[in-house]
Amino acid sequence: MEFVITCMPGLAPLLQRELTGLGLRATEQGGAAVRLEGGVHAAMRVCLWSRVAERVLLPVARHDGAPEQAADGLAQAFDWATHAREVRRLHVRVDHERGVRGDSRVTRSRFLRQAPDGVTPSDHAAGALCLRMSVGETCSELFVDFSGESLQRRGYRLDGGLAPLRETLAAAMLIAAGWPDDTPPVLLDPFCGSGTLLVEAAGMLLQHAPGLLRDEYGLLHWPGTDLSLWRQLREDAAAARRAPPPGLSLKGFDADASVLHQARANAERAGVGALLHLERRELGALRARDFAGDTGLVVTNPPWGERLEEQQRAGWLYYALGQVLGRLAPHWHALVVASQVEALDRSGMQMLESWRVRNGPMQVYLRRMTPQRKVPPPPLQVMGEAAFDVPEPAQALVNRLRKNSRQLRRWLDQSGVQAYRLYDRDLPEFNFSIDIYGDKALVQEYAPPKTVDEQAAAQRRTLAVSAVRAALGVHREQVFLRTRSQQKGKGQYQKLDQGSDYHVVMEGEARLLINLRDYLDSGLFLDHRPMRLRLGEEARGKRFLNLFGYTGAASVHAALGGAARTVTVDASRRYLDWAGCNLAANGFGMRQHELVRADVRQWVEETPQQFDLIFCDPPTFSNNKIRDDFVVQRDHGDLIRALMKRLEPGGTLYFSCNFRRFELEENIRRWYVVEDITRWSIPPDFSRNERIHHCYRITHGHED
């Protein structure tokens, strides 16, 4: 006899590998099926043991002709006496091949009209002989379905979570990764969800036949089945189970406590609950101790995202996965699934093998990879000698850049800072700021007065770029030029063009996305670096609120510092999307790190939430369509009083602003404990401009 074993499109090579490992003779037939040679005994073994197969089909009739003739032709060719003898209930499923038109209900009805008397059609597979009809353009086939319900329905997963991974796809991923034969018994899933990968991995390792988890099969209602043989095969499968091997480690992490509850219940039903370590933790919170042993396997299905902004975050989450594994598990291997190949590319891991799989209407990609340990390079610094000669008017700027770099060198070498300010309008004739972001430089011109000739201003910009290139020894493509003028309201965050060009820079443990091409601001206020690092140090176990959150850099530091949760509030959807990408690039999702688009003052007045740590960095001025415009000097007192109502006793508010003539309202000092930490908060690269911002630490209570 010859059977057709179906699988998800693209998994046929892995299905063939699995069946061959079971000692069966299987030949790949397209990307979604294999041919199995052998008797009913072989088909029964597939039903009991295969984790990748979807259905076990016995071809019983064929009709060459048009699709509309398929029902009558197959009914006449079908040997009812042999295959439907003493059958009382009949379940027929009709599938039209791609591109073939037809009504499955009509085709099914026409076929059933020729069934023998006493046979009752059934809408359900359970308790019925199951027939499956494949209708093609010129040829149609009829099969007895030994599976009944699809084999992927093992019976242990009653709750699948928000985006459950199909059991057969999970098993195929594990086989592709070489589990369990080619790897140590150490596996970790950082996005485990309802635990499907871990349950399948445990079952494979302990040789638990997945078919033992369910009792109902289509083969039980086929007249040719030897039920005693089926019972013996089940008994043999139960006796084949193994004990857990030494060194076994199966760990699953997820940010969602509810799906972890489902995972535990699924594992218990599968009989492997005692073997799994499940813990509520995000990717960005994993540590070296979570990766047991020098080698192991990560198999995972990160969140894909459906909307565009979710897909962008998902891409950065794959980036974070590659970074975490490169840092904490550089000698492990990984098998990862994604809906977009670009997301797998962004992980930065080295590809070993890949598969393209059809998961229902969606195409997904599997990739086996090895992590790459990448140490961030030191940031650009001024060289001892200029890379090339510059025009005489630019030499003064080269000299000043050399002087500033010499003053900052020791601090840069000791601090590990990757992004810093090198120059800030030190020379009257060069009204620029120059910031270094890793291996790139941002030259920002403060717009000259209208009385300055535009041609002269353009020449000055050319000289500035030449001086920067010569001093740093970089190509023109590494230098970005922007002109900024005094902005009001939303103008301070204006978009310059429609591109998207993120670069990653390190700040402490944080990886932050900056954009030097599309926006007037890079996405990172460098002068707040000490404040962000302090927030990370103080955030452990606390509820953190980030107001006027911009791109969420402070929230990233708080999350990395172990904050119980963070909330980032800003009026700009664009910058909140950026904040979401920043969080994702560090391994954090939105479940514990909420992004709120709202007017900050209104949100603070209306929210019932309380926080232990708050950072508020309002703009000097902002427009508002809903209520009065915000002016920091005029309105900061009311804002701080509202914030202190949201601050738990013992909590801390850090309030900052960059209005140079700012003066804190005297009543704030009388009602709360206020510490002016401005001098502390200004980093060495801004020491030449001590009025870059003001910063205060405010707590409940009164001074003595």
Side-chain angles (χ1 to χ4, degrees):
M1 302 178 73
E2 192 174 70
F3 291 83
V4 176
I5 315 299
T6 67
C7 59
M8 295 172 63
L11 294 185
L14 296 173
L15 174 59
Q16 181 188 19
R17 185 189 304 182
E18 179 194 42
L19 297 184
T20 301
L22 292 173
L24 301 173
R25 297 174 60 186
T27 305
E28 185 180 342
Q29 180 184 322
V34 300
R35 288 276 179 180
L36 175 71
E37 298 180 27
V40 175
H41 178 275
M44 289 179 173
R45 290 195 64 208
V46 175
C47 287
L48 271 178
W49 284 102
S50 177
R51 293 182 176 274
V52 181
E54 297 278 336
R55 295 188 180 277
V56 177
L57 304 176
L58 173 64
V60 291
R62 176 187 174 99
H63 173 73
D64 295 319
E68 55 270 20
Q69 301 169 354
D72 294 332
L74 290 173
Q76 293 171 10
F78 181 48
D79 187 344
W80 294 91
T82 298
H83 298 293
R85 184 177 66 255
E86 298 181 359
V87 168
R88 294 290 175 263
R89 299 178 66 227
L90 185 63
H91 174 72
V92 180
R93 174 168 174 167
V94 178
D95 296 320
H96 287 82
E97 295 179 1
R98 185 174 297 181
V100 177
R101 294 184 178 181
D103 189 323
S104 297
R105 292 171 298 180
V106 172
T107 302
R108 183 186 305 109
S109 178
R110 291 185 61 175
F111 178 85
L112 288 170
R113 280 205 298 262
Q114 300 190 44
D117 293 339
V119 174
T120 303
S122 173
D123 293 332
H124 304 287
L129 174 66
C130 297
L131 300 180
R132 196 173 183 92
M133 189 185 306
S134 175
V135 180
E137 190 67 46
T138 59
C139 174
S140 300
E141 286 190 275
L142 184 68
F143 305 88
V144 172
D145 187 349
F146 275 33
S147 321
E149 291 285 351
S150 171
L151 294 179
Q152 65 99 5
R153 299 190 179 182
R154 316 274 202 244
Y156 66 78
R157 194 172 75 181
L158 303 183
D159 297 308
L162 295 176
L165 185 67
R166 199 175 180 93
E167 293 92 329
T168 47
L169 178 56
M173 292 171 63
L174 291 159
I175 292 172
W179 181 266
D181 299 327
D182 300 338
T183 65
V186 178
L187 186 143
L188 183 147
D189 182 356
F191 305 99
C192 71
S194 56
T196 306
L197 274 163
L198 292 165
V199 171
E200 293 293 321
M204 293 168 68
L205 187 67
L206 303 185
Q207 205 165 298
H208 287 193
L212 290 179
L213 294 172
R214 53 185 263 188
D215 297 321
E216 178 60 34
Y217 287 90
L219 63 86
L220 299 176
H221 310 286
W222 180 58
T225 296
D226 182 344
L227 294 179
S228 63
L229 174 60
W230 174 246
R231 286 191 293 270
Q232 184 60 52
L233 286 174
R234 288 179 66 92
E235 291 174 5
D236 293 343
R241 292 179 174 179
R242 299 172 178 167
L248 174 63
S249 175
L250 298 173
K251 293 183 179 180
F253 300 92
D254 203 279
D256 189 343
S258 63
V259 298
L260 287 175
H261 178 75
Q262 296 172 9
R264 292 186 181 95
N266 291 339
E268 289 295 334
R269 281 188 288 268
V272 296
L275 302 179
L276 306 189
H277 172 87
L278 300 172
E279 187 176 337
R280 182 172 171 269
R281 197 126 53 90
E282 295 188 82
L283 173 67
L286 296 184
R287 297 294 178 261
R289 63 178 179 271
D290 298 314
F291 295 85
D294 294 333
T295 59
L297 185 62
V298 169
V299 183
T300 192
N301 173 34
W304 296 344
E306 296 182 1
R307 298 190 298 271
L308 179 60
E309 64 272 18
E310 292 175 339
Q311 292 173 1
Q312 291 173 342
R313 293 174 196 165
W316 286 108
L317 201 58
Y318 282 80
Y319 164 84
L321 177 63
Q323 294 295 317
V324 168
L325 296 186
R327 187 174 75 254
L328 303 179
H331 303 299
W332 284 41
H333 283 72
L335 196 291
V336 186
V337 61
S339 63
Q340 295 181 323
V341 72
E342 292 81 5
L344 292 168
D345 291 340
R346 184 168 285 175
S347 73
M349 292 189 275
Q350 181 180 359
M351 182 177 70
L352 301 177
E353 288 184 275
S354 65
W355 296 264
R356 187 170 61 181
V357 180
R358 197 105 197 143
N359 184 18
M362 180 180 293
Q363 187 162 268
V364 299
Y365 301 87
L366 311 181
R367 187 177 288 183
R368 189 166 70 90
M369 301 179 284
T370 55
Q372 302 292 296
R373 189 180 184 91
K374 297 180 180 179
V375 178
L380 292 174
Q381 294 190 40
V382 175
M383 301 188 304
E385 297 291 335
F388 54 83
D389 293 334
V390 298
E392 181 61 30
Q395 188 60 49
L397 180 56
V398 172
N399 294 339
R400 181 52 63 98
L401 294 179
R402 184 176 294 121
K403 175 183 177 182
N404 291 353
S405 183
R406 191 164 51 245
Q407 294 173 345
L408 295 173
R409 187 174 300 276
R410 177 177 294 181
W411 168 71
L412 287 172
D413 292 342
Q414 294 177 348
S415 66
V417 166
Q418 265 205 311
Y420 67 97
R421 177 150 293 182
L422 176 61
Y423 172 92
D424 195 359
R425 294 183 283 185
D426 299 12
L427 303 175
E429 63 271 29
F430 288 101
N431 192 30
F432 297 87
S433 66
I434 300 173
D435 294 332
I436 304 301
Y437 293 93
D439 64 347
K440 296 174 176 58
L442 175 62
V443 179
Q444 295 193 80
E445 178 192 30
Y446 292 87
K450 294 182 179 180
T451 55
V452 175
D453 179 67
E454 174 54 34
Q455 185 175 356
Q459 184 179 13
R460 192 68 66 181
R461 288 191 286 271
T462 301
L463 291 172
V465 171
S466 296
V468 169
R469 287 190 56 212
L472 297 173
V474 295
H475 296 292
R476 178 63 183 89
E477 292 77 12
Q478 292 173 264
V479 180
F480 296 79
L481 177 65
R482 290 284 170 264
T483 298
R484 62 183 305 144
S485 57
Q486 185 67 34
Q487 301 289 334
K488 293 185 177 182
K490 295 180 180 179
Q492 60 190 318
Y493 301 136
Q494 72 182 69
K495 199 172 191 300
L496 298 176
D497 58 50
Q498 296 302 313
S500 180
D501 190 10
Y502 284 137
H503 303 286
V504 179
V505 295
M506 291 292 296
E507 185 176 86
E509 295 297 318
R511 288 172 169 80
L512 302 175
L513 307 180
I514 53 104
N515 189 315
L516 306 181
R517 189 184 304 280
D518 301 340
Y519 297 89
L520 188 60
D521 287 304
S522 67
L524 186 63
F525 296 138
L526 297 180
D527 57 305
H528 280 309
R529 186 190 312 109
M531 188 71 258
R532 289 190 291 268
L533 293 172
R534 174 182 276 202
L535 291 169
E537 293 170 355
E538 297 184 4
R540 179 162 300 279
K542 296 179 180 178
R543 296 161 293 176
F544 173 68
L545 174 62
N546 183 10
L547 297 172
F548 302 98
Y550 191 34
T551 61
S555 300
V556 169
H557 278 281
L560 287 168
R565 67 186 300 261
T566 71
V567 178
T568 305
V569 185
D570 199 281
S572 168
R573 182 186 303 277
R574 181 178 297 123
Y575 286 98
L576 286 175
D577 289 342
W578 195 334
C581 290
N582 262 330
L583 285 162
N586 289 273
F588 298 100
M590 303 300 104
R591 181 166 293 276
Q592 298 301 123
H593 306 284
E594 185 180 0
L595 303 176
V596 180
R597 186 188 180 198
D599 173 78
V600 167
R601 289 181 293 170
Q602 182 174 341
W603 185 88
V604 169
E605 292 169 1
E606 295 177 354
T607 184
Q609 300 181 66
Q610 294 293 108
F611 298 90
D612 310 296
L613 184 63
I614 301 176
F615 178 56
C616 182
D617 180 33
T620 299
F621 173 87
S622 69
N623 295 317
N624 197 309
K625 296 180 180 179
I626 302 175
R627 58 192 299 172
D628 295 338
D629 294 341
F630 177 82
V631 180
V632 69
Q633 184 59 67
R634 182 191 69 195
D635 300 324
H636 74 273
D638 290 340
L639 176 59
I640 290 175
R641 281 184 283 273
L643 288 176
M644 298 305 286
K645 294 178 181 178
R646 305 272 66 82
L647 185 68
E648 286 282 4
T652 302
L653 163 65
Y654 288 103
F655 183 87
S656 175
C657 77
N658 63 350
F659 179 47
R660 292 176 179 269
R661 298 187 301 277
F662 180 79
E663 292 184 8
L664 188 69
E665 181 184 308
E666 189 58 35
N667 282 334
I668 300 299
R669 297 184 186 275
R670 286 200 293 263
W671 295 346
Y672 309 108
V673 177
V674 177
E675 179 185 0
D676 188 337
I677 59 172
T678 301
R679 184 176 295 276
W680 166 87
S681 71
I682 295 177
D685 48 330
F686 285 85
S687 60
R688 301 182 303 279
N689 182 8
E690 293 189 352
R691 300 179 65 187
I692 187 69
H693 67 239
H694 299 267
C695 194
Y696 303 90
R697 181 179 185 272
I698 306 174
T699 59
H700 288 292
H702 299 278
E703 295 184 86
D704 294 334

